[in-house]
Amino acid sequence: MIGFRDGPLWAAVLPDSWPVLPSEMSISLLTELESCPRRWALTRASYPNIWARHGYPPRLQRSGLAGTVVHLAVETATKEFARAGFYSPRSPGAVAVMKKLGGYSALLGQCIDRVLNYYADNPRTKHLIENARQKLRSEVPEMRMQVQKFLGSLRLESVPPIATASKRTSGYQVRSPLGPGAYPEIVLKAATISWMGKVDLLTISDSSCEIIDFKTGVPSDQHTFQLRVYALLWSRDKELNPSARKIDKLTVVYRSNQVAVDVPFSAELDKIESEIVSRTIKVRVAAEGHPPEARPSTETCRFCSVRQLCKEYWQADIQQRIGGESTNLLKYIDVEMVITDRHGPMS
């Protein structure tokens, strides 16, 4: 049984049916499936006896909330700058854009509410929301500095505001060819391999074509690979990029700096395509079982929000192996028990 003080109580049981994999793969889905297909399936299945929403009620990962808020604030501001035709917060007239958003602190307050609203009807976390809100609001000054650093390093290509607005609309709704402009949160699709990816920012001018990705975490090789996959998807997107124009600049923007990623061309793009197609085939086989394959390990399981539902995780030999993998930095303890009687109103 899973229960919370002053909250609901429900049985921790397997779902009636396993979820169907999406028809299109993405870099985040591939990474999640390669880590543990069972975790993905248990997280995405339906649990109508617990709540009306899809998936298992997620845990409130407090350590990552601030990064999510910062990323959302940067995304929101970037969209407004692009829509207005300004190319950085220092552009003439850009101050009016921030005033329209209410200023940095107001923007962050709105983003905090948007992030926490996702958990509002979650029976697993709703008793934690106000505490999380207070903590995040206390961190607004620090988050404000981070957002300013992100936006301060932003330089969009100089394109006419009218082109930016009109092409952005057509890009999102009709998926017609993109001309010069700045396109926040644009979805790229490679139909021939059934892959898609949502790019934080795509900028196009007569002389350049750049993909920019914002990251609130520490630099990682995975970020580099993600950008190179985006370059592949752009080159293969026959609706947005029918002329197969190549990306000539890839940039990861971190809180304190930005990193240029080597742009893959021709043979490298073919190699990346071959790699992700091969990996996709493997994870689909692992994830389409009933139940999907489980891959328990300390790194995979310690932050897993559905490990209480995983039969393999609780096997004695697996628990012994995971315990042997633990270090002082990764140590945690799970206990499986049977409660036979109630001893008081709080138990």
Side-chain angles (χ1 to χ4, degrees):
M1 303 292 285
I2 303 296
F4 302 96
R5 180 177 176 179
D6 300 324
L9 191 71
W10 66 76
V13 297
L14 293 176
D16 293 335
S17 60
W18 297 102
V20 177
L21 278 173
S23 58
E24 293 180 313
M25 187 61 64
S26 67
I27 190 68
S28 59
L29 178 57
L30 178 69
T31 302
E32 188 174 2
L33 289 171
E34 287 182 331
S35 178
C36 183
R38 180 76 59 84
R39 181 177 62 186
W40 174 86
L42 288 171
T43 302
R44 298 301 189 278
S46 295
Y47 300 85
N49 293 330
I50 298 177
W51 66 339
R53 284 172 56 184
H54 185 69
Y56 197 81
R59 294 168 57 187
L60 189 67
Q61 300 285 4
R62 300 189 190 190
S63 60
L65 285 178
T68 302
V69 170
V70 169
H71 194 282
L72 181 58
V74 171
E75 172 193 325
T76 303
T78 301
K79 286 181 178 178
E80 291 301 319
F81 286 134
R83 185 177 293 115
F86 299 128
Y87 314 114
S88 86
R90 299 172 184 173
S91 300
V95 173
V97 174
M98 289 309 303
K99 285 185 177 180
K100 179 181 176 182
L101 293 171
Y104 286 100
S105 295
L107 172 61
L108 284 165
Q110 295 164 14
C111 291
I112 289 172
D113 291 339
R114 287 172 61 185
V115 169
L116 292 180
N117 282 344
Y118 173 74
Y119 299 93
D121 60 345
N122 185 336
R124 195 175 187 181
T125 61
K126 61 183 181 181
H127 62 296
L128 303 172
I129 289 179
E130 286 311 309
N131 180 269
R133 193 188 312 277
Q134 293 175 15
K135 184 175 186 302
L136 286 171
R137 289 193 179 278
S138 71
E139 297 174 358
V140 164
E142 180 183 349
M143 290 192 289
R144 176 190 173 109
M145 293 178 59
Q146 293 174 12
V147 172
Q148 289 175 322
K149 286 182 178 180
F150 272 119
L151 296 177
S153 63
L154 185 63
R155 294 293 184 274
L156 307 185
E157 287 295 334
S158 297
V159 294
I162 296 177
T164 300
S166 63
K167 288 298 183 181
R168 177 182 177 276
T169 300
S170 64
Y172 277 119
Q173 297 180 1
V174 184
R175 289 190 57 80
S176 61
L178 299 182
Y183 304 92
E185 294 295 300
I186 191 75
V187 175
L188 305 179
K189 295 188 176 185
T192 55
I193 59 173
S194 298
W195 260 72
M196 59 83 67
K198 182 184 286 187
V199 172
D200 283 348
L201 184 63
L202 169 68
T203 65
I204 303 173
S205 71
D206 293 335
S207 60
S208 70
C209 189
E210 179 181 9
I211 287 177
I212 300 172
D213 204 48
F214 302 105
K215 297 295 184 185
T216 56
V218 297
S220 164
D221 290 341
Q222 181 68 9
H223 301 161
T224 298
F225 182 69
Q226 180 178 355
L227 266 289
R228 290 166 68 84
V229 169
Y230 287 164
L232 168 70
L233 299 181
W234 168 249
S235 71
R236 304 294 197 260
D237 194 319
K238 297 185 182 301
E239 295 175 307
L240 302 187
N241 184 24
S243 64
R245 179 177 178 178
K246 300 296 190 297
I247 289 291
D248 50 44
K249 190 174 182 182
L250 297 171
T251 305
V252 186
V253 179
Y254 295 102
R255 298 182 185 185
S256 58
N257 67 320
Q258 50 185 328
V259 177
V261 174
D262 291 338
V263 178
F265 291 103
S266 301
E268 286 183 283
L269 289 174
D270 293 337
K271 184 177 179 180
I272 293 172
E273 178 176 320
S274 178
E275 177 184 345
I276 63 174
V277 166
S278 175
R279 290 168 64 180
T280 298
I281 292 172
K282 291 179 181 178
V283 297
R284 285 194 177 276
V285 171
E288 289 174 350
H290 298 283
E293 180 184 334
R295 298 175 178 175
S297 70
T298 300
E299 190 63 35
T300 300
C301 298
R302 65 186 178 125
F303 293 127
C304 177
S305 63
V306 290
R307 63 179 183 263
Q308 70 275 14
L309 304 178
C310 180
K311 179 180 179 180
E312 281 77 2
Y313 174 75
W314 292 106
Q315 292 178 359
D317 59 330
I318 298 297
Q319 285 292 305
Q320 185 175 10
R321 176 168 61 81
I322 289 178
E325 293 174 355
S326 300
T327 66
N328 289 333
L329 296 177
L330 299 178
K331 189 173 291 296
Y332 65 93
I333 298 173
D334 275 334
V335 177
E336 184 179 29
M337 66 180 69
V338 177
I339 300 175
T340 60
D341 196 8
R342 182 172 184 173
H343 296 282
M346 300 304 294
S347 65

